[in-house]
């Protein structure tokens, strides 16, 4: 597939980008600024996303702790990471920024708490 | 009656139904054959009225109309009631059945009320406009008039005893033509004959003084002060709870499937929970009352459902109107009250109901067309209202007979069966009086066999949980101090506290589903329609009845709200 | 109890308002109806909050945490689980009757009141979906609460009606938590939410989006068994013959948000029918002196950063009001050609103002003009405007004596 269509989400302009990989090199068109070109490159070569979810806790008054990856993770690993997230059980009252998982296996990215479990 | 049948035959021929076969059974005229559509079915049924028969049994089939109708049936099947014995078995947990249970509980009797749904008042009794009609739109000499007038007069006392809210805002039957005001003296005379008090004729100016938002086309109105409002499902609950407190038993999810007959007596009531021995059976089965009569071999009438669609407006509209507003029905042949705008006891305004004949007795779906009708026909009565104010809408069906009158009588052929059937509008207003008469009939039948004594422990007052919203400041604070959950509001639209939800769950008549709690405590009844309080109510139910969250239902089993939990994998290890 | 400024609602708008009022030297009482402050952010666990304020993509709870810490550090009193039972005005003061489980019912008198009461979701009934009322119909926000706060899965096979942001975000959440999202149906010809959500919530997970289509009927008496969907014509009415049946167990609705101002309405303040919120000036003061509105109760914002900004504006003006340093805006702001709405609707002369507006339709190369009579006060060019994306504009102080300014969007002349 030499041509890929995508929508740039770097600003509200939402440019429709056409990425041509036919020549072996990435040629982006449809963008109105440099950000669009960078976005297209990232999306083709190594699309990443930050992932947010919740993890279970042992506290009935705070049964779920919201978490996010501290940085972006490869898009194609999201479901694998969800599997890991789904098996975590938090046994301490954490605060935003506290580390839930030092390094998500398969990535170098930490998983951090995003809510204050002491706020009931 | 041979002559009567001839006359019916003639009438039906002239209406274009020569194919309809007629016969007489137990004093009723029976219609058989096939017609093209439901309108024809109805026309034939109505055509057979008025020739001296007890009633019309319309067994005509409609070609193309398959029996694929909606009907909820209980999912349970067990023998929990098998061989149980009751002096009286009441079929149907609508307002009629529940009021009868309560009146019968004045007597020292073993009473069972059977309801096929998971809660009472699930059909017509919760799907109406909550109006206590003045006995004006009913024919003098009809049972409707008799019970409407008596029932209306009983409401103050019943409300006092059972502790439900009742107001008498009065109603205006609006007139769109100036000449209609000239009918005033006639209307007043008719009202006097029917036993009404205080009926007046108002000019446009007077109407405008009372209701400044009245539509421009209204030229005047007949004013009827004896028009009241209640929450009909709360009245039903109140009757049921007082009946239970006085010893009656209520069995939900219990559906009558037939009767065990011994000669001309009902010996047993066949249900999905076994056969119940019954001394006497009361048929208060509403839209299914003809089927119950048929099961006992005593069907002499036909229920043809008439659907009514209702919309509820946001509470903020309530101050725009004081009285019940409707259009005057000057055409005596109309079978509907016409609907209108009814202020609700809980502070909303109700629009409707419509009136459309339907073959499907439990079809409560609504359509865009029906909503449009409400918008175009009823909303303009009050200029302050707009379609944006609709917060919800629903439908109900009325249990109409072709005679368009109530049936309140002992069976003529089954010794121990009493019918309270064909109860449609004004059934709510009539219920207290119907219950008293059915009780008298039932007790006199039972007395033939045994000595029936009064219930020595009968207490007419219902014992009920506190309602913080209705308490004075000091009492409310005392209540919250004693139990802080009455101070924790969980339904923000209707200001319902956690304590009230817990009370509803553990009430005499327990509410274990989201909808049952909505009907009892009003949580989820408001403008957000449960958007905010549903999670809290789910958790409270699950905690209070100690059942898993995935088992909590919106209504009956099968309407579970939650299909599972996330993060099961993480918890599985911990909880084991 | 007495206070200078009473703030109703401890969501992002209320937290910022309380903080700003406190910084302005006023005594502040902040009340919150839920047990935890943070408002709807508590359940918005996705990221993207704080891009403007912190240049970071925080999750909702993190964003709320920052403001809450600031409020706590200044010892501002927060009453939780607290409801307003009654609100009246007497001698130009606000007389409130509050209730909570600890104190019961108690009165509070406030010199100034900031209503940061947020918004609610439009219901299935308000978009006139017909059929019976089975279990399995949820608004996207309710589903979000169930999944993110309680860990309850509301369904396994879901159809989403409406392409609002929460709807798309929930489509992704459900997918991540193991449910199947069969499609998002949008009655309009464009997506209602932000493009970022369209890309990262739907396209990333191959969830189909159907424009110009709607759900016309819900099937099932006890639990949802399926929905009928149909294409719609230009007037949004379903096109005959395009109906199809989709088996599913859940219908999620993301069909719009309504500012919640029900407790204020008895005071008789002027409302703007196009925003659904009160008419305010650039200090966020309503037509009732001393009564302020901010956040989604005023109009529904896209970005929480702007919600906080409006809260801070309201809070500091409310503190100023207590010191009699606040006049009411009297210059009318009119949303003219091609504008859906503009907030504030009134302006005080001689002060900066932040104006938010939405275009009525998608427009390219447009010129925004602010006019007073014949005179053009401001001109600003936009490459593209879409109704879902709200624009923020800082307006120079207006001269005194103006009666009305009109904002309008003009298609730029086709220049080469």
């Amino acid at each position: 597939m030499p041509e890929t269509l995508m929508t740039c989400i770097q600003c509200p302009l939402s440019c429709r980008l056409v990425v041509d990989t036919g020549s072996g090199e990435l040629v982006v068109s449809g963008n109105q600024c440099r950000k669009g070109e960078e976005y297209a490159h990232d999306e083709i070569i190594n699309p990443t996303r930050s992932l947010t979810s919740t993890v279970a806790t042992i506290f009935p008054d705070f049964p779920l702790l919201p978490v996010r990856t501290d940085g972006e993770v490869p898009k194609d690993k999201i479901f694998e990471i969800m599997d890991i997230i789904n098996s975590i059980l938090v046994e301490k009252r954490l605060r935003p920024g506290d580390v839930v998982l030092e390094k998500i296996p398969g990535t170098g990215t930490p998983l951090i708490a995003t809510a204050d479990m002491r706020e009931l | 009656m041979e002559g009567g049948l001839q006359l019916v035959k003639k009438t039906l021929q002239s209406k274009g139904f020569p194919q309809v076969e007629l016969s007489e059974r137990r004093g009723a005229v029976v219609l058989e054959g096939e017609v093209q559509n439901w309108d024809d079915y109805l026309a034939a049924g109505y055509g057979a009225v008025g020739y001296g028969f007890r009633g019309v049994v319309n067994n005509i089939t409609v070609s193309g109309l398959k029996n694929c109708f909606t009907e909820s049936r209980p999912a349970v099947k067990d023998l929990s009631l098998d061989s149980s014995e009751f002096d009286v078995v009441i079929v149907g947990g609508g307002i009629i059945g529940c009021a009868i249970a309560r009146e019968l509980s004045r007597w020292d009797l073993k009473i069972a009320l059977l309801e096929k749904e998971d809660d009472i008042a699930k059909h017509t009794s919760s799907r109406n406009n909550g109006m206590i009609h003045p006995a004006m739109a009913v024919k003098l000499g009809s049972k409707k008039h008799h019970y409407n007038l008596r029932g209306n007069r009983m409401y103050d006392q019943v409300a006092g005893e059972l502790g439900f809210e009742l107001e008498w805002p009065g109603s205006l039957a609006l007139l769109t033509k100036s000449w209609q005001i000239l009918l005033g003296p006639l209307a007043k005379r008719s009202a006097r004959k029917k036993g009404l008090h205080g009926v007046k004729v108002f000019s446009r100016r007077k109407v405008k003084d009372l209701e400044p938002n009245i539509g421009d086309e209204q030229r005047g109105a007949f004013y009827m002060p004896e028009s009241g409002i209640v929450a009909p499902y709360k009245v039903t609950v109140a009757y049921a709870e007082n009946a239970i407190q006085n010893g009656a038993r209520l069995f939900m999810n219990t559906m009558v499937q037939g009767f065990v007959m011994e000669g001309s007596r009902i010996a047993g009531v066949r249900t999905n929970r076994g056969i119940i021995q019954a001394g006497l059976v009361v048929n208060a089965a509403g839209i299914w009352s003809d089927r119950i009569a048929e099961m006992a071999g005593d069907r002499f009438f036909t229920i043809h459902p008439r659907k009514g669609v209702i919309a509820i407006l946001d509470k903020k509209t309530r101050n725009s109107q004081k009285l019940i507003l409707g259009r005057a029905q000057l055409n005596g042949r109309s079978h509907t009250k016409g609907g209108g705008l009814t202020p609700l006891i809980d502070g909303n305004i109700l629009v409707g109901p419509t009136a459309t004949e339907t073959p499907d007795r439990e079809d409560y779906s609504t359509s865009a067309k029906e909503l449009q009708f409400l918008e175009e026909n009823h909303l303009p009565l009050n200029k302050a209202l707009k379609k944006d104010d609709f917060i919800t809408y629903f439908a109900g069906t009325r249990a109409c007979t072709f005679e368009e009158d109530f049936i309140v009588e002992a069976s003529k052929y089954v010794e121990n069966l009493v019918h309270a059937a064909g109860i449609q509008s004004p059934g709510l207003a009539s219920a207290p009086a119907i219950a008293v008469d059915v009780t008298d009939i039932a007790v006199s039948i039972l007395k033939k066999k045994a000595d029936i004594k009064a219930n020595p422990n009968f207490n007419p007052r219902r014992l009920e949980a506190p309602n913080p919203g209705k308490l004075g400041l000091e009492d409310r604070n005392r209540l919250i101090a004693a139990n802080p959950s009455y101070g924790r509001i969980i339904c923000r639209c209707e200001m319902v506290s956690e304590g009230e939800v817990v009370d509803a769950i553990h009430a005499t008549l327990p509410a274990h589903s989201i909808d049952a709690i909505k009907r009892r405590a009003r949580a989820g009844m408001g403008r957000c329609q449960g958007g905010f309080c549903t999670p809290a109510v789910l958790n409270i139910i699950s905690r209070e009845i100690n059942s898993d969250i995935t088992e909590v239902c919106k209504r009956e089993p099968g309407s579970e709200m939650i299909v599972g939990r996330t993060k099961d994998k993480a918890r599985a290890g911990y909880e084991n | 109890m007495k206070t200078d400024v009473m703030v109703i609602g401890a969501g992002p708008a209320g937290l910022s308002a309380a903080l700003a009022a406190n910084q302005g030297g006023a005594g502040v009482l902040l009340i919150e109806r839920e047990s935890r402050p943070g408002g709807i952010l508590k359940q918005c666990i996705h990221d993207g909050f704080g891009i403007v304020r912190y240049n970071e993509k925080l999750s909702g709870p993190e964003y709320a945490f920052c403001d809450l810490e600031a409020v706590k550090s200044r010892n501002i009193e927060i009453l939780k689980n607290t409801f307003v039972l009654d609100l009246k005005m007497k001698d130009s003061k606000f007389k409130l009757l509050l209730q909570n489980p600890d104190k019961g019912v108690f009165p509070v008198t406030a010199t100034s009141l900031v209503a940061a009461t947020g918004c609610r979701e439009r219901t299935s009934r308000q978009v006139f979906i017909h059929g019976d009322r089975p279990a399995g119909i949820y608004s996207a926000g309710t589903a979000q609460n169930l999944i993110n706060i309680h860990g309850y899965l509301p369904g396994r096979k879901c159809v989403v009606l409406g392409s609002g942001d929460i709807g798309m975000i929930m489509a992704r959440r459900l997918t991540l938590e193991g449910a199947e999202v069969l499609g998002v149906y949008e009655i309009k010809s464009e997506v209602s939410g932000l493009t970022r959500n369209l890309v990262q919530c739907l396209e990333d997970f191959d969830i189909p989006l159907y424009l110009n289509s709607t759900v016309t009927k819900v099937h099932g008496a006890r639990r949802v068994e399926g929905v009928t969907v149909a294409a719609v014509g230009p007037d949004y009415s379903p096109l005959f013959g395009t109906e199809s049946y989709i088996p599913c167990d859940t219908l999620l609705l993301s069909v719009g948000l309504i500012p919640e101002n029900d407790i204020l309405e008895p005071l008789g303040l002027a409302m703007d029918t196009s925003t659904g919120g009160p008419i305010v000036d650039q200090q966020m003061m309503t037509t009732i002196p001393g009564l302020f509105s901010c956040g989604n109760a005023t109009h529904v914002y896209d970005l929480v950063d702007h919600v906080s900004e409006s809260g801070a504006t309201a809070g500091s003006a409310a503190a100023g009001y207590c010191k009699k340093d606040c006049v009411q805006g009297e210059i009318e702001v009119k949303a003219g050609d091609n504008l859906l709405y503009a907030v504030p609707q009134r302006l005080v002369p001689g002060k900066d103002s932040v104006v938010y507006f939405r275009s009525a339709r998608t427009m390219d190369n447009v010129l925004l003009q602010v006019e007073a009579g014949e005179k053009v006060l401001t001109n600003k060019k936009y490459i593209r405007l879409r109704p879902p994306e709200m624009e923020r504009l800082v307006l120079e102080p207006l001269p005194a004596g103006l009666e009305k300014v009109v904002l309008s969007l003009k298609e730029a002349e086709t220049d080469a």
Side-chain angles (χ1 to χ4, degrees):
Chain A
M1 45 159 216
E3 256 188 24
T4 311
L5 292 172
M6 63 177 74
T7 309
C8 177
I9 54 171
Q10 297 302 302
C11 82
L13 281 185
S14 311
C15 298
R16 292 296 293 168
L17 307 180
V18 184
V19 189
D20 191 340
T21 47
S23 63
E25 216 165 295
L26 262 164
V27 181
V28 182
S29 56
N31 58 311
Q32 301 194 31
C33 74
R34 182 137 188 93
K35 278 190 196 167
E37 201 175 326
E38 286 166 14
Y39 175 75
H41 273 98
D42 290 348
E43 279 299 287
I44 297 287
I45 294 160
N46 178 26
T48 57
R49 296 288 183 268
S50 59
L51 174 63
T52 60
S53 183
T54 55
V55 294
T57 81
I58 60 165
F59 304 101
D61 57 12
F62 212 110
L64 285 179
L65 171 67
V67 292
R68 70 174 166 92
T69 54
D70 192 9
E72 300 202 331
V73 293
K75 188 178 145 188
D76 58 5
K77 287 203 167 156
I78 280 179
F79 282 97
E80 278 170 50
I81 299 171
M82 276 306 293
D83 263 350
I84 297 164
I85 285 175
N86 286 343
S87 58
I88 295 173
L89 186 67
V90 169
E91 304 190 29
K92 276 201 304 217
R93 293 211 185 249
L94 302 177
R95 308 186 77 192
D98 287 353
V99 173
V100 175
L101 208 58
E102 206 71 64
K103 266 187 193 162
I104 300 167
T107 75
T109 315
L111 187 71
I112 58 169
T114 69
D116 186 356
M117 290 175 70
R118 285 169 301 184
E119 188 67 49
L120 297 177
Chain B
M1 276 289 133
E2 204 48 43
L5 284 181
Q6 291 293 329
L7 291 171
V8 176
K9 185 88 196 162
K10 252 184 164 166
T11 303
L12 293 190
Q13 266 167 351
S14 74
K15 285 183 183 283
F17 309 118
Q19 76 279 27
V20 172
E21 299 280 329
L22 299 173
S23 59
E24 188 192 334
R25 199 174 69 200
R26 295 182 165 172
V29 55
V30 180
L31 279 53
E32 275 156 331
E34 191 179 84
V35 293
Q36 293 305 308
N37 56 50
W38 192 250
D39 284 344
D40 287 352
Y41 170 91
L42 294 168
Y46 281 118
V49 175
Y51 296 96
F53 295 98
R54 279 180 80 202
V56 176
V57 174
N58 190 345
N59 287 341
I60 296 172
T61 53
V62 178
S63 53
L65 195 66
K66 295 278 175 289
N67 266 345
C68 56
F69 296 142
T70 344
E71 188 196 347
S72 71
R73 290 165 185 265
V76 277
K77 205 173 156 122
D78 58 31
L79 290 173
S80 60
L81 292 176
D82 203 45
S83 309
S84 59
E85 284 178 37
F86 289 92
D87 298 316
V88 182
V89 170
I90 301 162
V91 186
I95 188 166
I96 300 298
C98 293
I100 291 170
R102 188 263 189 166
E103 292 306 319
L104 273 169
S105 72
R106 293 174 187 273
W107 297 89
D108 190 11
L109 293 167
K110 279 186 73 182
I111 302 159
L113 183 149
L114 312 182
E115 169 54 54
K116 78 179 168 83
E117 306 297 334
D118 66 311
D119 194 8
I120 60 167
K122 290 263 298 223
H123 293 273
T124 314
S125 299
S126 60
R127 298 166 178 274
N128 62 73
N129 71 347
M131 179 177 174
I132 312 296
H133 289 86
M136 184 67 184
V138 283
K139 219 169 32 192
L140 195 61
S142 66
K143 285 204 172 83
K144 273 187 179 177
H145 174 261
H146 173 77
Y147 287 112
N148 186 352
L149 188 66
R150 264 176 70 201
N152 180 302
R153 299 273 152 83
M154 290 170 72
Y155 256 92
D156 278 318
Q157 188 191 343
V158 175
E161 289 175 351
L162 299 182
F164 58 81
E165 290 171 84
L166 164 69
E167 283 173 27
W168 298 100
S171 62
L172 292 175
L174 296 163
L175 306 165
T176 42
K177 305 229 164 23
S178 300
W179 61 263
Q180 291 170 330
I181 297 181
L182 301 175
L183 299 173
L186 273 173
K188 279 160 87 171
R189 192 178 327 139
S190 160
R192 256 196 312 278
K193 273 198 205 157
K194 288 175 178 172
L196 275 72
H197 302 133
V199 173
K200 291 193 175 79
V201 183
F202 286 164
S203 64
R204 167 156 178 91
R205 183 185 296 170
K206 175 77 186 165
V207 171
K208 185 102 180 142
D209 282 347
L210 277 174
E211 294 286 13
N213 294 315
I214 203 79
D216 292 331
E217 74 283 15
Q218 305 305 334
R219 308 320 311 166
F222 298 145
Y223 167 66
M224 290 163 280
E226 294 166 304
S227 309
I229 52 172
V230 291
Y233 44 89
K234 286 191 183 167
V235 178
T236 311
V237 169
Y239 263 124
E241 291 196 337
N242 189 237
I244 295 169
Q245 286 159 359
N246 287 312
R249 306 270 313 270
L250 263 66
F251 300 101
M252 307 294 164
N253 300 310
T254 306
M255 185 173 181
V256 174
Q257 295 163 332
F259 294 107
V260 181
M261 303 298 295
E262 271 174 14
S264 61
R265 280 186 67 79
I266 296 173
V269 181
R270 221 188 292 269
T271 76
N272 55 320
R273 328 199 74 161
I275 295 173
I276 303 168
Q277 312 297 312
L280 181 134
V281 172
V282 176
N283 174 14
I287 42 172
W288 297 106
S289 52
D290 56 346
R291 184 166 71 183
I292 297 295
E294 177 84 51
M295 287 174 184
D298 188 35
R299 181 170 163 218
F300 58 94
F301 57 94
T302 305
I303 300 292
H304 57 94
R306 192 178 298 137
K307 184 169 169 179
V309 174
I310 283 170
I312 304 291
L313 305 183
D314 192 296
K315 278 187 172 177
K316 67 185 175 205
T317 61
R318 178 64 174 91
N319 289 330
S320 69
Q321 182 182 329
K322 293 183 207 70
L323 287 80
I324 302 164
L325 302 179
R327 289 175 207 277
Q329 297 293 310
L330 299 170
N331 172 4
R333 297 186 61 83
S334 164
H335 288 310
T336 77
K337 294 277 177 306
L341 300 171
T342 310
L344 297 184
I345 200 90
D346 290 305
N348 308 77
I349 290 179
L350 176 151
V351 192
T354 59
T356 0
E357 298 287 344
T358 164
D360 197 347
R361 298 182 184 209
E362 291 185 16
D363 171 18
Y364 299 139
S365 63
T366 55
S367 70
K369 218 172 94 190
E370 290 162 318
L371 264 286
Q372 193 185 348
F373 178 84
L374 292 181
E375 187 195 348
E376 288 168 4
N377 283 271
H378 297 321
L379 231 43
L381 295 178
N382 174 344
K383 286 195 293 187
L385 307 179
K386 44 191 198 308
K387 200 185 179 190
D388 283 355
D389 297 323
F390 282 22
I391 57 170
T392 188
Y393 38 89
F394 50 90
T397 49
R398 306 168 180 87
C400 307
T401 61
F402 286 107
E403 295 73 30
E404 296 286 349
D405 202 2
F406 300 160
I407 296 162
V408 182
E409 60 189 63
S411 165
K412 291 201 166 49
Y413 299 93
V414 182
E415 278 172 45
N416 56 345
L417 174 65
V418 183
H419 298 292
I423 315 288
Q424 49 155 315
S425 178
L428 177 63
S430 307
I434 292 173
V436 167
D437 275 16
V438 169
T439 298
D440 287 351
I441 297 168
V443 169
S444 69
I445 294 171
L446 289 166
K447 276 186 172 168
K448 288 180 195 161
K449 290 249 171 185
D451 186 18
I452 312 290
K453 293 195 186 61
N455 177 357
N457 301 319
F458 178 77
N459 179 1
R461 304 202 86 81
R462 175 172 63 129
L463 314 169
E464 52 171 338
N467 181 347
K470 300 285 163 197
L471 293 178
L473 210 63
E474 269 177 46
D475 287 337
R476 190 164 178 169
N477 275 337
R478 254 196 298 278
L479 183 69
I480 295 170
N483 181 353
S485 73
Y486 287 112
R488 188 175 302 119
I489 304 282
I490 56 134
C491 166
R492 55 177 75 169
C493 304
E494 296 292 318
M495 289 290 186
V496 182
S497 67
E498 178 176 6
E500 291 161 84
V501 172
V502 172
D503 285 342
I505 294 170
H506 299 299
T508 303
L509 191 68
H512 288 179
S513 68
I514 295 280
D515 279 6
I517 284 172
K518 181 165 140 185
R519 281 192 296 273
R520 306 293 200 287
R522 292 192 62 75
M525 198 74 112
R527 52 176 72 97
C528 88
Q529 289 288 296
F532 286 114
C533 68
T534 297
V537 175
L538 282 171
N539 278 337
I540 297 170
I541 297 174
S542 157
R543 179 189 76 204
E544 294 294 319
I545 67 171
N546 201 12
S547 77
D548 192 80
I549 197 77
T550 55
E551 289 164 10
V552 180
C553 287
K554 184 169 191 286
R555 297 192 295 254
E556 62 277 2
S559 65
E560 286 77 10
M561 298 281 288
I562 302 294
V563 300
R565 283 165 192 274
T566 67
K567 320 297 162 189
D568 264 346
K569 206 163 123 194
R571 287 214 179 79
Y574 183 72
E575 280 162 9
N576 285 343
Chain C
M1 249 172 126
K2 274 190 180 168
T3 182
D4 296 332
V5 178
M6 159 112 173
V7 180
I8 308 176
L15 288 169
S16 287
L19 196 62
N22 170 282
Q23 284 163 344
V28 179
L29 176 64
L30 172 60
I31 66 162
E32 165 54 43
R33 55 190 160 198
E34 293 190 33
S35 60
R36 287 160 60 200
I40 207 70
L41 290 177
K42 293 194 295 292
Q43 67 187 51
C44 297
I45 64 158
H46 55 277
D47 68 351
F49 299 91
I51 299 173
V52 178
R53 234 174 125 189
Y54 303 112
N55 196 25
E56 258 191 89
K57 288 184 186 170
L58 301 176
S59 77
E62 282 174 298
Y63 185 96
F65 175 75
C66 298
D67 286 335
L68 186 58
E69 287 295 290
V71 163
K72 282 180 177 170
S73 73
R74 297 185 69 99
N75 294 317
I76 296 169
E77 187 177 8
I78 310 180
L79 291 178
K80 299 172 202 167
N81 292 309
T82 303
F83 265 79
V84 178
L85 295 186
D86 193 35
L87 167 61
K88 281 193 186 69
M89 290 208 72
K90 205 183 159 199
D91 308 326
S92 335
K93 302 252 176 187
F94 297 90
K95 301 275 182 188
L96 295 111
L97 204 56
L98 306 182
Q99 172 180 303
N100 69 29
D102 311 319
K103 298 182 170 211
V105 181
F106 56 100
V108 174
T109 303
T111 308
S112 174
L113 188 65
V114 180
T117 42
C119 58
R120 67 169 178 272
E121 297 179 277
R122 191 163 279 133
T123 67
S124 67
R125 294 319 220 179
Q126 287 166 321
V127 292
F128 299 96
I129 296 174
H130 293 277
D132 214 333
R133 295 189 285 181
I137 306 172
Y138 290 99
S139 67
T142 308
Q144 189 180 44
N145 182 288
L146 291 169
I147 296 181
N148 293 349
I149 303 285
H150 300 286
Y152 303 154
L153 206 56
R156 295 199 195 282
K157 275 180 90 125
C158 314
V159 165
V160 180
L161 174 63
S163 59
D165 289 312
I166 330 170
M168 295 196 282
I169 286 163
M170 285 317 295
R172 174 176 63 186
R173 279 296 292 142
L174 283 159
T175 308
L176 286 174
E177 294 298 343
E180 188 185 354
V181 178
L182 303 167
V184 175
Y185 291 81
E186 170 58 56
I187 195 162
K188 290 186 252 170
S189 52
E190 291 186 70
V191 64
S192 296
L194 303 172
T195 311
R196 171 158 57 101
N197 287 328
L198 170 64
V199 171
Q200 297 204 334
C201 297
L202 303 189
E203 290 177 4
D204 270 6
F205 296 92
D206 298 323
I207 297 167
L209 168 71
Y210 302 93
L211 296 172
N212 304 308
S213 336
T214 193
V215 170
T216 55
K217 196 170 169 149
V218 177
H219 303 265
R222 290 176 178 167
R223 176 85 199 189
V224 173
E225 288 164 10
V227 294
T228 300
V229 296
V232 298
D235 62 345
Y236 297 152
S237 62
L239 297 175
F240 182 76
T242 63
E243 299 92 347
S244 62
Y245 178 80
I246 303 177
C248 60
D249 66 6
T250 306
L251 173 64
L252 232 60
L253 296 158
S254 177
V255 288
L257 300 168
I258 306 167
E260 253 195 323
N261 293 286
D262 308 292
I263 55 171
L264 302 185
E265 281 183 22
L267 297 180
L269 76 173
M271 303 291 287
D272 181 341
T273 49
S274 52
T275 58
I279 288 176
V280 293
D281 61 23
Q282 78 262 50
Q283 315 156 95
M284 306 309 285
M285 185 148 85
T286 67
T287 52
I288 293 176
L291 177 62
F292 296 80
S293 171
C294 56
N296 285 346
T298 320
H299 63 126
V300 177
Y301 288 79
D302 301 344
L303 298 179
V304 71
D305 309 71
H306 295 154
V307 164
S308 299
E309 181 184 40
S310 77
T313 304
S316 88
Y321 178 85
C322 296
K323 293 187 279 191
K324 311 226 179 312
D325 178 21
C326 180
V327 291
Q328 204 161 13
E330 275 170 1
I331 303 170
E332 188 192 339
V333 180
K334 195 176 173 305
D337 290 350
N338 296 317
L339 256 71
L340 205 56
Y341 68 72
V343 173
Q345 299 89 340
R346 299 280 185 276
L347 289 172
V348 182
K351 276 177 186 267
D352 274 344
S353 49
V354 177
V355 176
Y356 294 103
F357 69 89
R358 289 182 196 275
S359 64
R361 57 193 170 87
T362 298
M363 297 173 83
D364 289 326
N365 299 318
V366 282
L367 190 66
L368 174 86
Q369 286 195 332
V370 184
E371 292 160 294
E374 298 291 295
K375 198 175 158 203
V376 178
L377 302 176
T378 308
N379 263 326
K380 191 172 175 189
K381 268 192 179 171
Y382 291 88
I383 301 173
R384 163 166 271 205
L385 290 175
R386 292 180 59 229
E389 323 247 358
M390 196 173 72
E391 286 298 330
R392 178 182 182 275
L393 173 77
V394 179
L395 219 57
E396 301 277 296
L398 294 179
L402 288 181
E403 226 170 73
K404 181 162 117 176
V405 295
V406 180
L407 270 67
S408 56
L409 289 170
K410 298 188 169 49
E411 231 116 11
E413 280 103 67
T414 40
D415 48 11

